Amino acid sequence: MEGAAPDWTDRYSRQVLFRGIGAEGQKKLQAARVAIVGCGATGSALAGLLARAGVGTLRIIDRDYVEPSNLQRQSLFDEEDAEESLPKAIAAVRKIEDLNSSIQVEGKVEDLVPANIEALLEGSKLILDGTDNFETRYLINDYAVKRSVPWVYSAAVGSYGVTLNILPGQTACLSCIFPDSPRGMVETCETSGILNSAVNLVASIAATETLKLVVGGTQAPALRRTLLSFDLWTNDRAEIAAAKPRPGCRACGERDFIHLAGEGRPHITLCGRNSVQIHERQRPIDFAELDRRLHAHGRVRHNDYVLKFWRDPYEMTLFPDGRAIIKGTTDIAVARSLYARYVGS
Ligand SMILES: [Zn+2]
């Protein structure tokens, strides 16, 4: 076998053989530009599937870093990523480049907010939801409806998964179905746990809808026009019609894009799991210098992407743009004062 180079022209042959894709469909996949917002469990699975399927340009946006508790379900990451606390967007790009070097993959270590959504989603023809919170989903929905970009909502918690295709101008949008953040969905992976199989099922469905959208466009008859939910543990399954927008919907009816305008958005947000995120922009941080300075106050470690500082009972993770995630408290005032004391006010 030595010297025999593998035949890469065969790479997608099994997918091209599938009637729904074919050679033409494969070309469309190669030309597609897809953004994945959030690269935790669902985002990892989506990115892995679509990268292997040959989606030509993937943009992965994530604000977080890899931790040991992620590895049970976040399929793009490994133990080394967790040891290095690598930002998920960076670790995901590395993994995808290893598994398919013929596509473009871009990682953005950022929190998607009204101020940067235009820049981060510009050029993407399709947006996939890999987030874990309704605040970001409503923001994506406002952007997608306003710009008429299709997007796929996906969520998983416990053994439960739910997904919806949003085709602006055709189907119901997220705000049609959930005018307000649904109360019953406030449980999170931190409080209810999560099965990796529920994640993979919801990601498989959403990735398949993505293939249909890219290959057949928003009029593709095979596209699902329902909110589909299932519980893998109880075997419950439900579908709610979503083929038509709800009259009077704030977003797609009245075109009142309050989330895009950033209304009611706090400067500091809680991001679950006993932690506070501090958004600080225009504060580029010199990790080497800060590492030296913090040495006297606690354990500190950094690489090119994150600086971690431990001061009992807190753990602070800083990104080069000044954003921080402070673990060990949900008190915004405490987090603020720690940030001011050790990073700057
Ligand atoms: Zn709507």
Side-chain angles (χ1 to χ4, degrees):
M1 286 299 286
E2 227 170 286
D7 181 6
W8 293 112
T9 58
D10 244 13
R11 172 166 217 137
Y12 304 114
S13 57
R14 302 306 186 270
Q15 187 167 283
V16 168
L17 275 173
F18 175 71
R19 266 191 314 149
I21 307 280
E24 282 308 305
Q26 193 62 45
K27 277 187 204 150
K28 288 181 182 170
L29 288 172
Q30 180 60 41
R33 303 180 68 89
V34 174
I36 298 174
V37 182
C39 195
T42 312
S44 272
L46 285 168
L49 288 168
L50 296 176
R52 287 182 194 275
V55 167
T57 307
L58 284 175
R59 176 170 290 182
I60 296 172
I61 302 153
D62 192 278
R63 64 184 180 186
D64 212 350
Y65 56 93
V66 183
E67 297 179 280
S69 68
N70 301 151
L71 301 182
Q72 164 255 359
R73 65 194 176 283
Q74 303 191 10
S75 54
L76 284 180
F77 312 129
D78 59 32
E79 293 180 359
E80 212 178 302
D81 300 329
E83 273 160 22
E84 289 181 43
S85 302
L86 268 192
K88 292 179 182 178
I90 303 288
V93 167
R94 286 187 184 175
K95 219 51 58 77
I96 287 171
E97 283 173 345
D98 280 349
L99 63 87
N100 192 346
S101 61
S102 73
I103 62 167
Q104 298 293 318
V105 54
E106 307 161 356
K108 301 282 180 188
V109 186
E110 294 205 54
D111 189 17
L112 189 85
V113 292
N116 64 14
I117 189 167
E118 299 276 345
L120 288 173
L121 296 181
E122 186 62 53
S124 293
K125 304 289 186 245
L126 181 54
I127 303 162
L128 303 182
D129 171 18
T131 70
D132 58 0
N133 66 88
F134 260 85
E135 190 182 19
T136 311
R137 288 182 180 122
Y138 282 127
L139 180 61
I140 295 171
N141 188 65
D142 272 10
Y143 173 90
V145 168
K146 186 180 178 193
R147 303 278 294 255
S148 215
V149 179
W151 76 282
V152 183
Y153 157 64
S154 309
V157 65
S159 55
Y160 175 84
V162 57
T163 178
L164 169 72
N165 300 331
I166 290 113
L167 312 172
Q170 282 190 53
T171 68
C173 80
L174 190 69
S175 293
C176 288
I177 295 188
F178 304 114
D180 300 302
S181 192
R183 293 278 173 267
M185 299 271 298
V186 291
E187 47 176 349
T188 67
C189 304
E190 281 71 38
T191 58
S192 309
I194 184 161
L195 294 183
N196 55 19
S197 50
V199 168
N200 280 13
L201 181 53
V202 88
S204 286
I205 294 167
T208 310
E209 295 301 307
T210 301
L211 299 182
K212 295 180 199 173
L213 260 165
V214 171
V215 172
T218 58
Q219 301 294 337
L223 276 172
R224 206 189 64 257
R225 287 170 166 82
T226 62
L227 177 83
L228 170 64
S229 64
F230 50 81
D231 187 316
L232 283 175
W233 204 258
T234 62
N235 303 311
D236 291 330
R237 187 179 180 284
E239 276 192 275
I240 296 170
K244 290 272 175 292
R246 175 175 56 82
C249 169
R250 172 198 52 82
C252 68
E254 295 169 14
R255 300 187 73 78
D256 180 11
F257 303 118
I258 54 171
H259 298 279
L260 217 45
E263 275 173 41
R265 178 175 276 266
H267 188 57
I268 306 173
T269 53
L270 302 175
C271 50
R273 59 165 204 211
N274 192 29
S275 61
V276 173
Q277 176 182 229
I278 296 190
H279 297 267
E280 283 287 344
R281 294 182 190 283
Q282 274 74 46
R283 184 195 280 280
I285 293 187
D286 180 340
F287 280 173
E289 197 264 314
L290 187 62
D291 191 310
R292 271 193 299 278
R293 197 147 55 80
L294 289 177
H295 237 82
H297 304 284
R299 198 152 66 85
V300 57
R301 203 183 73 187
H302 79 275
N303 55 30
D304 288 349
Y305 310 103
V306 290
L307 179 144
K308 291 192 87 121
F309 172 56
W310 291 267
R311 171 132 186 132
D312 258 7
Y314 309 108
E315 179 188 309
M316 187 185 299
T317 303
L318 271 161
F319 298 89
D321 64 359
R323 193 166 56 85
I325 295 173
I326 294 160
K327 243 182 167 176
T329 183
T330 51
D331 186 331
I332 288 168
V334 169
R336 260 268 169 244
S337 92
L338 283 165
Y339 189 93
R341 192 180 323 152
Y342 297 113
V343 185
S345 50

